[in-house]
Amino acid sequence: MSVLVIQNDPIVPAGQLSAFLGGHEVVRAWEEPQRLQDLVAAPLPGALILLGGRATAYDDEAWPWLEAERELTRRCVSANVRVLGICLGAQLIAATFGGRVSVADPAGPERGVIPLVWGTNDQAGGGGAVPLRMALASTHTVFADHGDAIVELPHGAREWARSSKYTQIFSYGSALGVQFHPEITREIATVWAATNEDVDTEDIVAGYDAHEGELAATCKTLADWVSGIF
């Protein structure tokens, strides 16, 4: 299966997703905005991944390719093509279909490893939701790095899991949004922490190291789902 990955930010790459995906193409949106425009009218990919970034879900002036990303997402969901949105990508999915994202949410940011709490209705929804939920059953810790948050899901969306503050996993048709970063690597975690004066880099990296195996397993599960393995 051909997987299209849209990278929105130079410091937010596909990370270890690249190791688990089969054939895939990465479009660096800030370098190839016209490529995104072309993709809107092109044949659909086998699956789509929207990565994170420092933009807000509504920041079209500074990130002018976001509307093309939304339109491609609409086309994919309409055609039942699987879409995985990560952090900003999840927020774009929510906002595209009528949900709401709070910019710099007053409840505060989430940084580093956080616990995940699964809901009671998390097996409902489309896009292979039940097999994916079963495959994710052992995921209880994820790695987050965000200040914006999804505060209202689209009508018809299902929340699967959340942290103590925010929605962390939701489905909408064939799309799955995850607020956390399954693609995280030790190198990426170090770069993000080192550029954020509000966190302790050693604490962030120590948290990653303590849960590295679980974080990688979750990433592989999501990559397998995107690739149509189950």
Side-chain angles (χ1 to χ4, degrees):
M1 175 187 290
S2 172
V3 178
L4 177 65
V5 180
I6 299 178
Q7 183 179 346
N8 288 296
D9 193 313
I11 70 166
V12 190
Q16 65 178 338
L17 269 172
S18 291
F20 297 130
L21 291 171
H24 65 284
E25 176 190 2
V26 178
V27 175
R28 295 161 65 92
W30 68 97
E31 291 181 350
E32 306 179 76
Q34 185 56 51
R35 173 85 172 110
L36 273 178
Q37 293 290 341
D38 294 342
L39 285 168
V40 169
L44 292 174
L48 175 66
I49 298 177
L50 312 176
L51 297 178
R54 290 166 288 184
T56 77
Y58 307 112
D59 199 4
D60 288 42
E61 183 174 352
W63 304 61
W65 60 85
L66 291 182
E67 179 51 34
E69 208 163 319
R70 294 187 198 98
E71 182 56 29
L72 183 57
T73 300
R74 292 184 192 101
R75 289 186 63 215
C76 284
V77 171
S78 178
N80 204 35
V81 171
R82 290 183 180 185
V83 180
L84 173 63
I86 296 172
C87 199
L88 169 63
Q91 295 165 9
L92 286 170
I93 292 170
T96 294
F97 295 104
R100 186 167 64 87
V101 175
S102 173
V103 177
D105 190 78
E110 293 178 311
R111 313 287 186 199
V113 294
I114 59 172
L116 199 66
V117 179
W118 289 93
T120 57
N121 295 320
D122 49 66
Q123 293 192 28
V130 173
L132 177 59
R133 173 60 185 95
M134 293 173 65
L136 288 172
S138 60
T139 296
H140 299 290
T141 303
V142 294
F143 189 99
D145 194 292
H146 70 105
D148 299 352
I150 299 162
V151 293
E152 183 179 337
L153 289 172
H155 179 71
R158 297 276 186 169
E159 181 182 83
W160 293 19
R162 61 185 297 113
S163 64
S164 61
K165 293 181 179 180
Y166 303 121
T167 296
Q168 293 293 326
I169 306 177
F170 73 92
S171 61
Y172 180 85
S174 61
L176 187 81
V178 297
Q179 182 60 74
F180 59 90
H181 286 275
E183 82 285 12
I184 195 71
T185 64
R186 193 177 199 272
E187 180 182 4
I188 295 171
T190 302
V191 169
W192 291 354
T195 56
N196 186 344
E197 61 183 17
D198 295 328
V199 302
D200 184 295
T201 300
E202 289 188 3
D203 286 349
I204 293 291
V205 175
Y208 172 86
D209 288 344
H211 296 277
E212 183 176 15
E214 182 180 358
L215 299 176
T218 299
C219 184
K220 184 178 188 304
T221 296
L222 290 169
D224 286 350
W225 175 78
V226 168
S227 300
I229 293 175
F230 61 86

